[in-house]
């Protein structure tokens, strides 16, 4: 990136190529928000009222409107030093609300979910886990103009040659890639390492990609809309055929988080030889991100911001089951809330009055010490009725591409009312497997019945044990 050369390089240990590709980071966290992919926002009207359903959100109107107020506060910078606390039974949409708030704050606003109990690790300090989550919730949007080759892939041919070194088999010597734009086509002869990147990004003919001229980094933009299918809903993004020449200068926007920058710079950056690979395996560990490194990263980031190359995008850190934190973490959390570059903090719990962990006698609402509670705006989530559960199940089955036979929706909604929203949603996937085993591509009521024979919902399970007197007496079976 050009920006580093512009900064005086005396105090910049943060290498520029240290920017990791955003897709390579926090995969585990993105899979955590996958069950909420139908949630696009809070679904409020311009005067802040919640329609019965909007933006994928069904019901829960009070909580949605309250969260809308919080979004306004955040946008007008009147929420710093405070936190939003969501309180309600499991499966009532607390995580969904937190995610919706981050959507409302803008596109590509980082959302960093964690669970209170994640802080307990034998390797990493408790406070360190919190600090890292906060860093992952602060985004940096970097704009830069780069020389690229961009177009729709028309040809992708690896050229093989005998490997002179090993005698075994062949290696790819180069790869021929054809790129097409509205204006013309161009054939590129690229290095084998770029071919690896192409395979990794799963690029095929018909995708629109660009290759950065300096670094050889390959990015898949989407699928050319000439190949658009007729499905109403799918995960693919279709893009138009790029305009202009294949070889051009293009403004690229890269979104990374401070956490990504910390991690990338903590890893030793050796060359290609085997020692440095081994070295990085041994040395790479979470403990390497020190406060010193974070300060260095901050300094470089500030430089970019001052030059107008980058923009800070404060995101949302979501701490679920916050009652699992202990007094030490709560104190640290207070300090983090005060820090100048803090993300929005959303906490969630399903506990009532509880002992604050790490103390022997402090009982407090939601297991949260009062000095933190004082900073919180508390929003309660309500349970759902059968109709609302049915609507959410319908949304999810559309997204997951599942077909529901007659009466299935009603049946699942009924199960959900007995169990919970989450139980209802979780019936979908296994039921579709049962349907598949029966040779159908549509879930039928009998699949749900079979599910009930195979599995128990929590309430039934607990009742069974209650009646049988528990496992220990051996009376249950
Ligand atoms: N009001 C709602 N509208 C749409 N989907 C919802 C709603 N409430 C919950 N969900 C979905 O139900 C599932 C469970 O909700 P979740 O937010 O995980 O509950 P909680 O965090 O309170 O335990 C998720 O897939 C969520 O997206
Ligand atoms: Mg949750």
């Amino acid at each position: 990136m050009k920006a580093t050369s512009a900064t005086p390089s005396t105090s910049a240990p943060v290498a520029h190529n240290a920017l990791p590709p955003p897709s390579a980071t926090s995969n585990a966290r993105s899979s955590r928000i996958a069950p909420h992919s139908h949630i696009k926002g809070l679904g409020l009207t311009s005067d802040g009222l919640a329609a019965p359903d909007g933006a994928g959100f069904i019901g829960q109107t009070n909580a949605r409107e309250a969260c809308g107020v919080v979004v306004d506060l955040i946008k007008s910078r009147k929420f710093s030093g405070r936190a939003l606390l969501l309180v309600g039974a499991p499966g009532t949409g607390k995580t969904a609300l937190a995610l919706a708030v981050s959507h409302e704050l803008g596109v590509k606003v980082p959302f960093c979910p964690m669970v209170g109990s994640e802080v307990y690790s034998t390797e990493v300090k408790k406070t360190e886990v919190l600090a890292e989550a906060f860093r992952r919730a602060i985004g940096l949007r970097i704009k830069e103009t780069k020389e690229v080759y961009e177009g729709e892939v028309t040809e992708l041919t690896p050229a093989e040659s005998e490997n002179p070194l090993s005698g075994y088999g062949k290696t790819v010597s180069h790869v021929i890639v054809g790129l097409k734009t509205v204006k013309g086509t161009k054939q590129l002869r690229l290095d084998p390492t770029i071919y690896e990147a192409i395979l990794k990004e799963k690029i095929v003919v018909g995708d629109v990609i660009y290759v950065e001229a300096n670094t050889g980094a390959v990015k898949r933009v989407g699928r050319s809309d000439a190949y658009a299918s007729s499905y109403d809903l799918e995960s693919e993004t279709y893009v138009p055929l790029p305009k202009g020449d294949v070889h051009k200068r293009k403004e690229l926007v890269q979104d990374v988080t401070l956490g990504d920058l910390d991690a990338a710079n903590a890893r030793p950056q050796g060359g290609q030889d085997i020692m440095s690979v081994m070295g990085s395996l041994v040395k790479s560990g979470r403990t390497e991100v020190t406060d010193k490194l974070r300060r260095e990263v901050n300094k470089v980031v500030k430089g970019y911001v001052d030059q107008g190359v980058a923009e800070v995008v404060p995101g949302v850190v979501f701490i679920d089951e916050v009652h699992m934190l202990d007094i030490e973490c709560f104190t640290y959390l207070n300090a983090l809330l005060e820090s100048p570059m803090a993300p929005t903090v959303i906490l969630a719990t399903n506990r009532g009055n509880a002992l604050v962990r790490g103390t022997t006698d402090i009982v407090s609402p939601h297991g949260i010490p009062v000095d933190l509670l004082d900073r919180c705006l508390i929003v309660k989530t309500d349970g759902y009725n059968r109709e609302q559960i049915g609507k959410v199940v319908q949304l999810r089955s559309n997204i997951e591409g599942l077909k529901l036979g007659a009466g299935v929706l009603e049946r699942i909604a009924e199960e959900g009312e007995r169990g919970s929203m989450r139980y209802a949603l979780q019936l979908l996937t296994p039921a579709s497997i049962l349907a598949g085993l029966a040779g159908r591509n549509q879930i039928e009521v009998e699949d749900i019945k079979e599910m009930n024979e195979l599995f128990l919902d929590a309430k039934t399970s607990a009742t069974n044990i209650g009646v049988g007197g528990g496992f220990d007496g051996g009376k249950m079976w």
Side-chain angles (χ1 to χ4, degrees), residues 35-36 38-39 56-58 60 89-96 384 392 421-422 425:
H36 308 281
H38 58 289
I39 304 283
F57 236 112
I58 312 289
Q60 208 64 266
T92 49
K94 296 185 295 295
T95 311
Y384 295 111
V392 177
M421 170 81 89
R422 189 171 294 132
L425 292 175

Side-chain angles (χ1 to χ4, degrees), residues 150-156 180 198 201-210 219-231 234-242:
E150 185 184 43
E152 177 190 319
V153 179
T154 53
E155 180 190 358
L156 195 61
K180 180 171 92 177
I198 288 177
E201 291 260 318
K202 300 197 174 70
I203 290 165
V204 293
V205 169
D207 290 349
V208 173
I209 66 165
Y210 64 79
K219 177 94 176 44
R220 184 177 184 277
V221 186
R223 188 125 181 98
S224 168
D225 55 13
Y227 291 79
S229 65
S230 55
Y231 299 118
E234 59 174 324
S235 55
E236 186 63 272
T237 42
Y238 291 97
V239 293
L241 195 62

